[in-house]
Amino acid sequence: MIADIVILALILGYCIFLIYKGYKNKKAGKPVGCAGCSGNCGSCGGCSAHPVSTPDKK
């Protein structure tokens, strides 16, 4: 019973965090779905010179 409440609280907290992060990104003018520099967000300007996000030059 207590474990169920703890798990539910963690899930609810994570959902609130995701909603807050989306609101913060929207307010900052970032595109929807942009979570920062993850290497695959082409429309986000946060990864301009990151070595992981640039393709290999062969």
Side-chain angles (χ1 to χ4, degrees):
M1 180 73 173
I2 296 293
D4 293 334
I5 294 172
V6 170
I7 291 171
L8 186 61
L10 289 173
I11 292 171
L12 183 62
Y14 186 65
C15 289
I16 291 171
F17 170 74
L18 289 178
I19 291 170
Y20 171 74
K21 193 75 162 169
Y23 173 75
K24 189 176 169 185
N25 282 344
K26 183 179 178 184
K27 193 172 183 180
K30 292 182 182 177
V32 176
C34 184
C37 192
S38 63
N40 60 359
C41 187
S43 62
C44 181
C47 305
S48 58
H50 196 274
V52 176
S53 63
T54 56
D56 292 338
K57 296 178 182 177
K58 292 184 180 179

